[in-house]
Amino acid sequence: MLEEVERWLATRSWSVADRPLPRILAAKQRTGQTISVVLPALDEEETVGDIVTVIRRDLVERVPLVDEIVVVDSGSTDRTSAVAAAAGARVVHRDDILPRIPAAPGKGEVLWRSLLVTGGDIVCFVDADLREFSSDFVSGIVGPLLTEPGVDLVKGMYDRPLGGAAGQGGRVTELMARPLLNMHWPQLAGFVQPLGGEYAARRSLLEQLPFPVGYGVELGMLVDALHLVGLDALAQVDVGVRRHRHQDGQALGRMAAAIYRTAQLRLARGHLVRPALTQFERGAAGFEPRTYSVDTEERPPMAQIAEYAARRVA
């Protein structure tokens, strides 16, 4: 490991216990910064309501830390929107944001568009499929942004149990993202959960970053933030244990392909590998190929979007 990374681990890796909630709240009141929490959601009626309820109860009603909770629904066919609204979130549908640009499917697309419908100086992203959710996920990762002026982006780190075994979650991280980062961006080798969906950043940083529209958004954001603001502006906080719905192996393969494509684009602008992935499923006549396209689109930095600039002037 690079000496720079060892120093970073000693100075930019914290535990949620390092910043008690009263200290975080005092910093918010002193600095006057506002906080938006965004949940990208697609067919998450079983979990999104509980997450919103916990954040609202602990960080809006008990202490005034979070200023708004926004669920961006990316086309759910279940009751995700109704459940989220009943729990106290403001629900916005992806296709209603920036309608002049047709929406692409993918998580990164939703996160990018969320910048247009939120107002917080700090934006905190939380996946909508978490179970046994704790508000420490939010307070833990926004804490350094309120107390450390030099920090611009904070990732959550946590255990990810799989099938009762501790630490076995995050298969795409271990098989794809971590090797890529260690080999090509070794300064980022200290991140425990580089692909984790729970992180917070200053709006002033997010609006300068391009957003891959799909699953490559987390890796792309880390790499681009490293180049834009440097390693010392990035941090991570241990928030405990993350439990969520695990996807099957083929879905993980498609995620890995999107992440590899995101990395490859950053390594060699102008030379792209074939943006497709063929997988196999057993059918009546044996193994049958299924070919899926890999996300090849990225959204420009939000600061370049006219509607966003006009909103800020207004």
Side-chain angles (χ1 to χ4, degrees):
M1 181 177 289
L2 298 176
E3 290 185 8
E4 180 182 6
V5 177
E6 292 180 350
R7 290 194 299 270
W8 179 84
L9 283 169
T11 60
R12 287 292 186 262
S13 291
W14 296 292
S15 165
V16 65
D18 291 334
R19 291 176 179 79
L21 194 52
R23 178 187 171 194
I24 296 172
L25 185 61
K28 172 184 167 64
Q29 294 170 340
R30 182 177 65 254
T31 61
Q33 297 178 86
T34 54
I35 298 172
S36 300
V37 176
V38 172
L39 283 74
L42 176 62
D43 294 332
E44 301 293 357
E45 67 176 358
E46 293 185 5
T47 51
V48 68
D50 290 341
I51 298 171
V52 171
T53 295
V54 170
I55 297 172
R56 186 168 186 82
R57 180 194 67 207
D58 293 354
L59 303 179
V60 176
E61 297 171 353
R62 290 181 179 172
V63 298
L65 182 67
V66 169
D67 296 279
E68 62 176 347
I69 307 170
V70 179
V71 171
V72 183
D73 190 324
S74 58
S76 298
T77 58
D78 65 2
R79 298 182 61 252
T80 290
S81 290
V83 170
R90 175 162 60 93
V91 178
V92 185
H93 291 270
R94 176 199 62 195
D95 295 347
D96 294 335
I97 307 170
L98 200 61
R100 72 173 176 85
I101 300 178
K107 178 184 179 181
E109 177 82 356
V110 175
L111 301 185
W112 181 72
R113 289 176 186 257
S114 75
L115 297 181
L116 262 169
V117 293
T118 55
D121 302 305
I122 294 169
V123 182
C124 175
F125 298 119
V126 176
D127 281 350
D129 66 342
L130 303 189
R131 303 180 185 278
E132 301 177 36
F133 180 77
S134 167
S135 59
D136 285 348
F137 274 71
V138 174
S139 60
I141 57 181
V142 303
L145 294 166
L146 292 169
T147 62
E148 307 288 336
V151 172
D152 289 332
L153 184 149
V154 181
K155 296 281 292 189
M157 57 176 168
Y158 30 67
D159 294 315
R160 297 182 65 180
L162 175 63
Q168 295 302 306
R171 290 162 287 172
V172 176
T173 292
E174 299 303 331
L175 296 175
M176 177 58 72
R178 199 177 308 285
L180 282 172
L181 292 176
N182 275 262
M183 288 187 290
H184 298 294
W185 296 281
Q187 288 177 293
L188 299 174
F191 278 94
V192 175
Q193 296 291 353
L195 300 185
E198 290 67 51
Y199 50 99
R202 300 189 193 281
R203 178 176 294 271
S204 57
L205 171 63
L206 293 172
E207 65 188 15
Q208 298 181 68
L209 299 177
F211 276 61
V213 299
Y215 285 116
V217 63
E218 275 85 21
L219 183 135
M221 189 176 295
L222 266 187
V223 171
D224 293 340
L226 173 68
H227 291 305
L228 190 62
V229 295
L231 183 60
D232 281 344
L234 313 180
Q236 61 185 351
V237 174
D238 186 348
V239 292
V241 179
R242 183 186 196 267
R243 294 182 173 86
H244 66 114
R245 183 187 67 251
H246 292 284
Q247 303 203 48
D248 62 36
Q250 292 205 333
L252 296 179
R254 296 190 289 274
M255 292 172 61
I259 290 162
Y260 176 74
R261 177 265 167 192
T262 300
Q264 193 273 342
L265 178 60
R266 281 153 179 76
L267 288 168
R269 297 280 179 177
H271 173 69
L272 292 179
V273 294
R274 175 175 173 264
L277 175 72
T278 298
Q279 297 177 317
F280 294 87
E281 298 177 7
R282 185 181 289 280
F287 285 103
E288 301 173 354
R290 301 283 189 273
T291 299
Y292 301 88
S293 62
V294 175
D295 299 316
T296 58
E297 189 169 1
E298 295 195 4
R299 296 305 189 189
M302 186 57 78
Q304 298 177 11
I305 300 298
E307 288 89 339
Y308 187 79
R311 190 195 72 163
R312 297 192 68 184
V313 170

